[in-house]
Amino acid sequence: MACRLAEPYSEPASKGIVLMNYVVLGAGPAGVTAAETLRSVDPNATITMIGGEPEPPYSRMALPYLIYGKIDEGGTYLRQDPAHYDEQRIRYIMGRCGGIDSRAKQVYLSTGETLPYDKLLIATGANPIRPPIPGSNLEGVENCWTLADARKILEYADKGSPVVLVGAGFIGSIILEALFLRGCQITVVELAPRMVARMMDETAGGMLGRWCESKGVQVLTNTRVTSISKGEDGGPRLSVRFSNGLSAPADLAVLAVGVRSNTGFLVGSGVAVNTGIIVDEYLQTTAPDIYAAGDCCEGIDLSTGKPDMLAIQPVAVEHGRIAALNMAGHQHRHRGSLNMNVLDTMGLISSSFGLWQGAQVGETGKLVDEGTFKYMKLEFEGDKLVGAQCVGMTDHVGMLRGLIQTGFHMGEWKKKLLASPERLREAYIAVAQGLPTSGPMAPQVKTPVVDVSHAGASGH
């Protein structure tokens, strides 16, 4: 599907009406949401959106579906109608930003074009980290971050092909799912002592590792890649050597060791950067009339009340909408985004929410069934549920999110859940709907039977 570049939209100014000129740097979920929101609240404005790749705006989170054949490239596009941006009167430019002059209010593009703006949104996302591994520049060593990367992976990862996946964090585990469904023979290498160490504890991460091994995936934790070299003639393309002294042949090595915010072009712009772009509660940067959204900025974590990098698509969409409203003069405070991850690992669903590691002073309720790969861990601060983890238990995702995000007081249900986390559905109905917890009006909920090998509470 081609995406035609729209001409700038202009409309004669009516007397007394100021026509705004908005520029959006970035054409991912944050940028597209922002541009559409700006159009909805400012129908006469000029809106220009800039994408850094020669593609229509697309979702990186859709790339695994492309790799295992569930969708084609068109299925990754954020908007399916090729005329969508023209119809929204959003000019779409392909190019990269070389710098910003916040005093002159101008954006300098790699194409040579200089764009003036009244209000600017930076939604440039993040870039994958390329670790300094000898041989990481060889053919067949790829990231999985762009459509161009996905095309290379499709070229090298045939059914039965040996593949080494470097990194078993959230992104790496999503790629693992795609490669497994494609039929590859996979070795996972993770520096941390468990899979998804930034969203799961030892019990949950250990379950995921054992589940992968039960599906024929080799999982090497506490291990790093020391070098990558060309394979022997007539064999797989690469040879990957590990810190444990072993090596593995591979037709493809995928690097998924993390990302960093794309902010290098902001030097000298007046936009302050920490790990990501620093923003206030209205997503405005330290430079006047410049806002930021998505993976490039440090928005507020709802659970901690502090700035943090929450590089997940729902947060990017939320940022884009709120930033656009503020750019257009509709004051809208960002109260914080919930840190939430839901992962499908070859059919085993895992999730984490909020303060999944636990509060500094809190209590924990657990249920564990190692044999059937089921786990639930609830974290309380006072009588509020502030964090949770689940493995193999999908019915509770919406309820956990709702209870943590709304900050309901659990009252007497806290004690019940510390002893029996599987009663979450009862607790949710009672607390969220304000029903009594005992007597004829108490909720009658039939909960699934779970074989619990350990349940209890512990302090933090």
Side-chain angles (χ1 to χ4, degrees):
M1 180 180 77
C3 182
R4 187 168 64 84
L5 303 190
E7 295 300 319
Y9 170 76
S10 61
E11 184 174 296
S14 301
K15 188 175 181 179
I17 298 178
V18 177
L19 299 185
M20 295 295 292
N21 176 27
Y22 301 109
V23 173
V24 177
L25 274 177
V32 168
T33 299
E36 293 172 345
T37 302
L38 286 167
R39 175 57 69 219
S40 70
V41 297
D42 196 344
N44 296 318
T46 298
I47 302 172
T48 304
M49 182 172 64
I50 303 159
E53 299 176 47
E55 322 282 0
Y58 68 93
S59 169
R60 301 195 194 285
M61 295 304 295
L63 295 180
Y65 299 101
L66 171 65
I67 289 171
Y68 75 78
K70 186 175 182 180
I71 59 174
D72 59 14
E73 285 197 9
T76 69
Y77 299 160
L78 288 167
R79 303 295 179 261
Q80 295 298 303
D81 184 354
H84 174 77
Y85 301 103
D86 285 347
E87 291 172 354
Q88 290 285 310
R89 293 176 285 117
I90 296 170
R91 182 189 182 206
Y92 179 48
I93 299 173
M94 294 178 189
R96 292 187 175 271
C97 180
I100 296 170
D101 186 335
S102 59
R103 291 185 178 181
K105 289 193 169 184
Q106 291 184 326
V107 175
Y108 303 103
L109 299 182
S110 58
T111 59
E113 185 173 359
T114 299
L115 290 176
Y117 66 84
D118 293 317
K119 299 285 180 72
L120 171 67
L121 176 68
I122 303 171
T124 48
N127 287 324
I129 295 171
R130 195 85 174 184
I133 300 171
S136 62
N137 60 336
L138 290 172
E139 182 181 355
V141 182
E142 305 293 337
N143 294 116
C144 184
W145 195 247
T146 67
L147 266 172
D149 293 337
R151 293 179 191 122
K152 284 287 188 180
I153 289 172
L154 288 171
E155 180 181 344
Y156 299 136
D158 294 325
K159 184 175 182 180
S161 296
V163 175
V164 172
L165 174 62
V166 186
F170 182 76
I171 294 173
S173 295
I174 292 173
I175 299 167
L176 167 62
E177 165 89 359
L179 293 170
F180 175 79
L181 291 173
R182 191 164 175 80
C184 299
Q185 299 298 313
I186 308 165
T187 299
V188 178
V189 186
E190 171 56 49
L191 186 60
R194 62 185 184 276
M195 295 181 65
V196 289
R198 293 186 179 181
M199 69 170 273
M200 289 285 176
D201 65 11
E202 293 83 357
T203 301
M207 276 188 182
L208 261 64
R210 291 191 298 277
W211 174 266
C212 291
E213 289 171 340
S214 74
K215 299 293 183 180
V217 174
Q218 184 179 20
V219 179
L220 303 176
T221 54
N222 287 311
T223 306
R224 61 185 176 88
V225 173
T226 57
S227 66
I228 304 173
S229 58
K230 290 184 178 180
E232 297 180 1
D233 291 341
R237 181 178 290 104
L238 302 168
S239 177
V240 184
R241 183 165 292 278
F242 311 127
S243 58
N244 61 7
L246 301 177
S247 63
D251 286 329
L252 169 70
V254 181
L255 305 179
V257 297
V259 298
R260 60 170 59 97
S261 295
N262 187 11
T263 59
F265 62 93
L266 293 173
V267 174
S269 67
V271 175
V273 177
N274 187 21
T275 303
I277 297 170
I278 297 172
V279 293
D280 64 14
E281 59 187 347
Y282 300 99
L283 296 178
Q284 184 163 358
T285 72
T286 53
D289 297 321
I290 300 180
Y291 296 74
D295 296 1
C296 67
C297 81
E298 297 181 358
I300 296 296
D301 184 327
L302 181 66
S303 298
T304 65
K306 297 178 181 179
D308 201 357
M309 303 292 299
L310 301 179
I312 52 178
Q313 185 162 309
V315 171
V317 171
E318 181 183 28
H319 280 186
R321 181 183 64 84
I322 292 173
L325 291 172
N326 288 311
M327 292 168 71
H330 299 266
Q331 196 173 64
H332 196 100
R333 181 183 171 196
H334 178 233
R335 300 184 182 278
S337 302
L338 179 65
N339 187 9
M340 171 180 169
N341 295 284
V342 180
L343 183 64
D344 184 347
T345 309
M346 295 177 284
L348 183 64
I349 309 297
S350 57
S351 55
S352 66
F353 309 83
L355 299 178
W356 61 267
Q357 311 96 319
Q360 278 191 324
V361 180
E363 295 175 273
T364 301
K366 296 182 184 179
L367 68 81
V368 185
D369 186 345
E370 296 279 3
T372 60
F373 295 94
K374 292 188 184 298
Y375 180 53
M376 181 185 290
K377 186 178 182 182
L378 305 180
E379 302 287 355
F380 290 90
E381 186 172 34
D383 72 341
K384 291 183 179 181
L385 185 66
V386 295
Q389 299 173 65
C390 287
V391 177
M393 304 179 74
T394 59
D395 293 343
H396 304 86
V397 170
M399 291 177 279
L400 288 169
R401 177 179 180 177
L403 289 172
I404 296 170
Q405 201 161 21
T406 55
F408 282 129
H409 290 277
M410 302 301 294
E412 63 185 88
W413 273 103
K414 172 193 170 181
K415 184 176 180 181
K416 295 177 181 179
L417 290 175
L418 287 174
S420 304
E422 69 275 14
R423 298 186 66 186
L424 182 72
R425 185 184 296 273
E426 294 175 73
Y428 176 80
I429 293 175
V431 173
Q433 297 185 7
L435 297 176
T437 57
S438 61
M441 294 298 294
Q444 302 297 313
V445 181
K446 189 174 182 180
T447 55
V449 176
V450 179
D451 181 16
V452 181
S453 59
H454 174 74
S458 60
H460 287 265

